Amino acid sequence: ALGWDPSLQIPLAIRASLEEAEKALSISNYRSCVVMCRRTIEALLKFAFPRLLGKSLIDNKGKVLSLKDMIERFEEQKSSPIPIHLLRVLDSIRVIGNVPGAHAVNMGGYRFSKSDAEFALASVHYFLEQYFSKIDTEVSEYYTLTIDLSGES
């Protein structure tokens, strides 16, 4: 068995959104960068929610929790595994990515700036580093085992 490569510590579904956000910033597509940053944190919280809280992502009415709901559920914990200041970072990314990014609402000429995209991406990087190095350190303890079932020696 080989230990988890630290450069691959971020699960693929989360890493793919992060890489797309980085690419969008590099080509000055600021709205896409911000929306993909929001998507990255949503994917991360969907990963973290059952791991850290041991709870389902489904509410009492059978609906999947929204990003806002997940952040609020972490905030409601007496001793949240994610510190409140980091939950505020997540919420700032959620808000900036909502309108007019992820949700089609006309805001009369609002355009995402390079600063918006850089802020969102830097915040996502900060949160990911904190999450995987301090909050959910067991992720780095996953292993891959390859077994040759061909029977050839």
Side-chain angles (χ1 to χ4, degrees):
L2 300 173
W4 183 288
D5 180 344
S7 68
L8 301 175
Q9 188 172 12
I10 300 171
L12 183 59
I14 299 165
R15 191 173 65 237
S17 292
L18 178 63
E19 289 171 356
E20 193 169 333
E22 291 167 342
K23 182 176 180 182
L25 178 61
S26 75
I27 61 171
S28 302
N29 191 339
Y30 305 131
R31 180 190 331 217
S32 293
C33 175
V34 171
V35 170
M36 293 311 296
C37 286
R38 185 190 183 286
R39 181 183 171 113
T40 301
I41 63 163
E42 185 170 1
L44 178 62
L45 284 188
K46 285 181 177 181
F47 173 80
F49 201 83
R51 290 177 59 79
L52 300 179
L53 298 182
K55 297 180 180 178
S56 170
L57 290 166
I58 309 297
D59 69 12
N60 297 345
K61 298 177 184 176
K63 291 187 176 185
V64 176
L65 295 175
S66 68
L67 177 55
K68 181 179 181 183
D69 292 335
M70 287 186 282
I71 293 169
E72 288 175 352
R73 300 281 167 88
F74 275 106
E75 288 174 342
E76 292 168 358
Q77 301 300 307
K78 274 188 174 181
S79 178
S80 177
I82 300 176
I84 194 72
H85 72 282
L86 292 177
L87 292 170
R88 298 288 187 258
V89 169
L90 294 180
D91 201 45
S92 70
I93 298 165
R94 178 191 68 81
V95 170
I96 195 172
N98 273 356
V99 177
H103 302 289
V105 174
N106 186 0
M107 291 193 60
Y110 182 84
R111 297 184 64 147
F112 283 101
S113 68
K114 183 177 182 181
S115 296
D116 293 329
E118 289 173 338
F119 168 78
L121 191 56
S123 297
V124 168
H125 277 285
Y126 173 72
F127 183 80
L128 288 171
E129 189 276 326
Q130 294 295 302
Y131 181 84
F132 290 108
S133 70
K134 297 179 180 176
I135 297 167
D136 193 358
T137 57
E138 291 181 11
V139 173
S140 65
E141 296 178 10
Y142 286 124
Y143 294 92
T144 302
L145 179 63
T146 304
I147 302 172
D148 181 5
L149 298 176
S150 68
E152 297 175 12
S153 297

PDB file of all heavy atoms in Angstrom, residues 30 96 112-120:
ATOM      1  N   TYR A  30     -13.795  36.142 -14.800  1.00  0.00           N
ATOM      2  CA  TYR A  30     -13.942  36.343 -13.361  1.00  0.00           C
ATOM      3  C   TYR A  30     -15.224  35.746 -12.796  1.00  0.00           C
ATOM      4  O   TYR A  30     -15.225  35.182 -11.714  1.00  0.00           O
ATOM      5  CB  TYR A  30     -13.827  37.827 -13.025  1.00  0.00           C
ATOM      6  CG  TYR A  30     -12.544  38.432 -13.547  1.00  0.00           C
ATOM      7  CD1 TYR A  30     -12.545  39.622 -14.275  1.00  0.00           C
ATOM      8  CD2 TYR A  30     -11.317  37.797 -13.343  1.00  0.00           C
ATOM      9  CE1 TYR A  30     -11.376  40.169 -14.768  1.00  0.00           C
ATOM     10  CE2 TYR A  30     -10.137  38.335 -13.833  1.00  0.00           C
ATOM     11  CZ  TYR A  30     -10.173  39.514 -14.539  1.00  0.00           C
ATOM     12  OH  TYR A  30      -9.011  40.047 -15.031  1.00  0.00           O
ATOM     13  N   ILE A  96     -20.736  35.971  -2.413  1.00  0.00           N
ATOM     14  CA  ILE A  96     -20.188  36.594  -3.620  1.00  0.00           C
ATOM     15  C   ILE A  96     -20.463  35.737  -4.853  1.00  0.00           C
ATOM     16  O   ILE A  96     -20.649  36.250  -5.953  1.00  0.00           O
ATOM     17  CB  ILE A  96     -18.680  36.915  -3.471  1.00  0.00           C
ATOM     18  CG1 ILE A  96     -18.240  37.887  -4.562  1.00  0.00           C
ATOM     19  CG2 ILE A  96     -17.835  35.670  -3.493  1.00  0.00           C
ATOM     20  CD1 ILE A  96     -16.832  38.418  -4.389  1.00  0.00           C
ATOM     21  N   PHE A 112     -18.284  41.105 -12.415  1.00  0.00           N
ATOM     22  CA  PHE A 112     -17.247  40.637 -11.516  1.00  0.00           C
ATOM     23  C   PHE A 112     -15.910  41.240 -11.917  1.00  0.00           C
ATOM     24  O   PHE A 112     -15.590  41.323 -13.102  1.00  0.00           O
ATOM     25  CB  PHE A 112     -17.141  39.102 -11.553  1.00  0.00           C
ATOM     26  CG  PHE A 112     -18.223  38.423 -10.775  1.00  0.00           C
ATOM     27  CD1 PHE A 112     -19.317  37.874 -11.422  1.00  0.00           C
ATOM     28  CD2 PHE A 112     -18.156  38.340  -9.398  1.00  0.00           C
ATOM     29  CE1 PHE A 112     -20.315  37.257 -10.715  1.00  0.00           C
ATOM     30  CE2 PHE A 112     -19.148  37.718  -8.677  1.00  0.00           C
ATOM     31  CZ  PHE A 112     -20.235  37.170  -9.328  1.00  0.00           C
ATOM     32  N   SER A 113     -15.153  41.618 -10.920  1.00  0.00           N
ATOM     33  CA  SER A 113     -13.834  42.183 -11.175  1.00  0.00           C
ATOM     34  C   SER A 113     -12.757  41.141 -10.891  1.00  0.00           C
ATOM     35  O   SER A 113     -13.024  40.088 -10.303  1.00  0.00           O
ATOM     36  CB  SER A 113     -13.601  43.397 -10.267  1.00  0.00           C
ATOM     37  OG  SER A 113     -13.492  42.960  -8.914  1.00  0.00           O
ATOM     38  N   LYS A 114     -11.558  41.474 -11.313  1.00  0.00           N
ATOM     39  CA  LYS A 114     -10.419  40.620 -11.017  1.00  0.00           C
ATOM     40  C   LYS A 114     -10.264  40.469  -9.506  1.00  0.00           C
ATOM     41  O   LYS A 114      -9.972  39.391  -9.003  1.00  0.00           O
ATOM     42  CB  LYS A 114      -9.149  41.214 -11.631  1.00  0.00           C
ATOM     43  CG  LYS A 114      -7.921  40.369 -11.432  1.00  0.00           C
ATOM     44  CD  LYS A 114      -6.710  40.985 -12.127  1.00  0.00           C
ATOM     45  CE  LYS A 114      -5.492  40.098 -11.948  1.00  0.00           C
ATOM     46  NZ  LYS A 114      -4.303  40.689 -12.593  1.00  0.00           N
ATOM     47  N   SER A 115     -10.509  41.542  -8.769  1.00  0.00           N
ATOM     48  CA  SER A 115     -10.403  41.501  -7.302  1.00  0.00           C
ATOM     49  C   SER A 115     -11.412  40.533  -6.690  1.00  0.00           C
ATOM     50  O   SER A 115     -11.097  39.834  -5.729  1.00  0.00           O
ATOM     51  CB  SER A 115     -10.613  42.895  -6.707  1.00  0.00           C
ATOM     52  OG  SER A 115      -9.591  43.754  -7.118  1.00  0.00           O
ATOM     53  N   ASP A 116     -12.634  40.505  -7.227  1.00  0.00           N
ATOM     54  CA  ASP A 116     -13.644  39.556  -6.744  1.00  0.00           C
ATOM     55  C   ASP A 116     -13.135  38.128  -6.901  1.00  0.00           C
ATOM     56  O   ASP A 116     -13.210  37.313  -5.984  1.00  0.00           O
ATOM     57  CB  ASP A 116     -14.959  39.679  -7.543  1.00  0.00           C
ATOM     58  CG  ASP A 116     -15.683  40.989  -7.335  1.00  0.00           C
ATOM     59  OD1 ASP A 116     -15.588  41.573  -6.245  1.00  0.00           O
ATOM     60  OD2 ASP A 116     -16.348  41.427  -8.297  1.00  0.00           O
ATOM     61  N   ALA A 117     -12.631  37.825  -8.091  1.00  0.00           N
ATOM     62  CA  ALA A 117     -12.156  36.471  -8.389  1.00  0.00           C
ATOM     63  C   ALA A 117     -10.938  36.118  -7.540  1.00  0.00           C
ATOM     64  O   ALA A 117     -10.852  35.010  -6.995  1.00  0.00           O
ATOM     65  CB  ALA A 117     -11.836  36.349  -9.872  1.00  0.00           C
ATOM     66  N   GLU A 118     -10.006  37.047  -7.421  1.00  0.00           N
ATOM     67  CA  GLU A 118      -8.803  36.779  -6.615  1.00  0.00           C
ATOM     68  C   GLU A 118      -9.161  36.575  -5.143  1.00  0.00           C
ATOM     69  O   GLU A 118      -8.602  35.703  -4.478  1.00  0.00           O
ATOM     70  CB  GLU A 118      -7.794  37.912  -6.772  1.00  0.00           C
ATOM     71  CG  GLU A 118      -7.143  37.944  -8.134  1.00  0.00           C
ATOM     72  CD  GLU A 118      -6.258  39.152  -8.360  1.00  0.00           C
ATOM     73  OE1 GLU A 118      -6.427  40.192  -7.665  1.00  0.00           O
ATOM     74  OE2 GLU A 118      -5.396  39.076  -9.244  1.00  0.00           O
ATOM     75  N   PHE A 119     -10.097  37.386  -4.640  1.00  0.00           N
ATOM     76  CA  PHE A 119     -10.540  37.224  -3.255  1.00  0.00           C
ATOM     77  C   PHE A 119     -11.163  35.852  -3.041  1.00  0.00           C
ATOM     78  O   PHE A 119     -10.840  35.149  -2.090  1.00  0.00           O
ATOM     79  CB  PHE A 119     -11.554  38.314  -2.883  1.00  0.00           C
ATOM     80  CG  PHE A 119     -12.262  38.034  -1.588  1.00  0.00           C
ATOM     81  CD1 PHE A 119     -11.640  38.270  -0.379  1.00  0.00           C
ATOM     82  CD2 PHE A 119     -13.545  37.503  -1.588  1.00  0.00           C
ATOM     83  CE1 PHE A 119     -12.281  37.989   0.822  1.00  0.00           C
ATOM     84  CE2 PHE A 119     -14.198  37.215  -0.405  1.00  0.00           C
ATOM     85  CZ  PHE A 119     -13.561  37.461   0.815  1.00  0.00           C
ATOM     86  N   ALA A 120     -12.069  35.473  -3.939  1.00  0.00           N
ATOM     87  CA  ALA A 120     -12.753  34.188  -3.795  1.00  0.00           C
ATOM     88  C   ALA A 120     -11.759  33.031  -3.858  1.00  0.00           C
ATOM     89  O   ALA A 120     -11.789  32.124  -3.021  1.00  0.00           O
ATOM     90  CB  ALA A 120     -13.825  34.030  -4.876  1.00  0.00           C
TER      91      ALA A 120
END
